[in-house]
Amino acid sequence: KNQVEQSPQSLIILEGKNCTLQCNYTVSPFSNLRWYKQDTGRGPVSLTIMTFSENTKSNGRYTATLDADTKQSSLHITASQLSDSASYICVVSGRNTDKLIFGTGTRLQVFP
Amino acid sequence: EAQVTQNPRYLITVTGKKLTVTCSQNMNHEYMSWYRQDPGLGLRQIYYSMNVEVTDKGDVPEGYKVSRKEKRNFPLILESPSPNQTSLYFCASSPDPPSSYNEQFFGPGTRLTVL
């Protein structure tokens, strides 16, 4: 069964610190992996999209990595800010499919 | 401004009273989709549409209907809402299906409560 699992479920860090969120997937054959940021009560917003051949992609202070062999991805947030408080969702698409498979997200809280 | 809009943003209704949640995008996207989001379950796809007059079931289609008569609009219809349809609903669109490299844009969400 195609699944996407994220860890940890929740995370609390202090402003200015770095953190890394994990995503493991079983989707096969793989097409692409996306990381979304979702503020409470709002729609998800895309951070990065990576295909099989990409193993690192950055968007400002956000850096995503992908290991297609082990089916793992991570999202690293550098020098966290209060505005980084949100849920971060890992989403995977398989080849030859019209659907996205969503993880349940990691809820990040950044405190001053 | 390129965007996906949904209306209403909040809705409280009673069991059995038909309702429609509208979704519109101004980016000329071919692919549109509806999701529901419940605590601890993540987003689950209800229905999607590859183009005008082409719709297909997602993972949780029971109790919902959709139509795609125009490219920009993709309404979600609940013919007889029930309390288990209380949820946060998102419409999304993208130029192509998710297996492509294109970004999917989400609307602001509709919070539905069925009493």
Side-chain angles (χ1 to χ4, degrees):
Chain A
K1 182 180 178 183
N2 290 325
Q3 287 185 312
V4 176
E5 294 185 351
Q6 294 186 243
S7 62
Q9 280 191 325
S10 61
L11 183 61
I12 297 174
I13 62 173
L14 293 176
E15 187 178 15
K17 298 296 186 183
N18 303 335
C19 67
T20 301
L21 315 179
Q22 301 291 343
C23 173
N24 295 336
Y25 62 93
T26 60
V27 179
S28 182
F30 171 82
S31 175
N32 60 73
L33 184 145
R34 305 153 187 246
W35 282 95
Y36 283 89
K37 178 186 179 188
Q38 185 179 22
D39 293 315
T40 302
R42 306 187 74 169
V45 174
S46 178
L47 293 175
T48 64
I49 304 174
M50 290 188 291
T51 63
F52 185 92
S53 58
E54 297 174 292
N55 52 27
T56 301
K57 199 156 193 178
S58 291
N59 178 358
R61 294 180 297 102
Y62 301 101
T63 299
T65 66
L66 172 64
D67 185 336
D69 291 330
T70 62
K71 294 186 168 59
Q72 295 179 324
S73 176
S74 65
L75 180 69
H76 185 76
I77 304 175
T78 303
S80 61
Q81 300 176 358
L82 299 179
S83 59
D84 292 331
S85 294
S87 287
Y88 292 84
I89 305 173
C90 177
V91 187
V92 179
S93 174
R95 238 179 292 150
N96 305 321
T97 180
D98 303 321
K99 299 181 182 181
L100 292 169
I101 300 164
F102 290 79
T104 54
T106 292
R107 175 151 181 77
L108 174 66
Q109 292 177 275
V110 181
F111 285 104
Chain B
E1 180 190 354
Q3 59 183 348
V4 178
T5 57
Q6 295 178 226
N7 282 292
R9 295 289 316 279
Y10 303 90
L11 180 60
I12 300 175
T13 189
V14 295
T15 298
K17 186 176 182 182
K18 180 180 178 180
L19 67 92
T20 299
V21 183
T22 65
C23 172
S24 183
Q25 51 93 5
N26 61 2
M27 296 169 277
N28 201 37
H29 286 168
E30 294 196 347
Y31 184 91
M32 296 186 74
S33 184
W34 275 103
Y35 300 91
R36 61 177 289 173
Q37 187 174 35
D38 302 290
L41 293 179
L43 282 112
R44 294 179 291 168
Q45 191 177 48
I46 304 171
Y47 269 94
Y48 63 95
S49 169
M50 301 282 282
N51 212 325
V52 175
E53 302 292 1
V54 181
T55 63
D56 210 342
K57 296 177 181 179
D59 298 315
V60 288
E62 295 77 20
Y64 304 94
K65 285 173 58 176
V66 292
S67 68
R68 187 93 181 271
K69 293 185 172 60
E70 307 164 280
K71 199 169 191 177
R72 62 183 293 131
N73 296 323
F74 190 44
L76 179 69
I77 303 155
L78 284 71
E79 295 270 3
S80 182
S82 63
N84 64 13
Q85 293 178 299
T86 293
S87 187
L88 180 58
Y89 291 86
F90 290 101
C91 179
S93 76
S94 60
D96 298 301
S99 58
S100 73
Y101 199 60
N102 291 303
E103 181 177 343
Q104 188 163 79
F105 294 85
F106 284 81
T110 294
R111 186 167 292 281
L112 172 65
T113 301
V114 183
L115 302 174

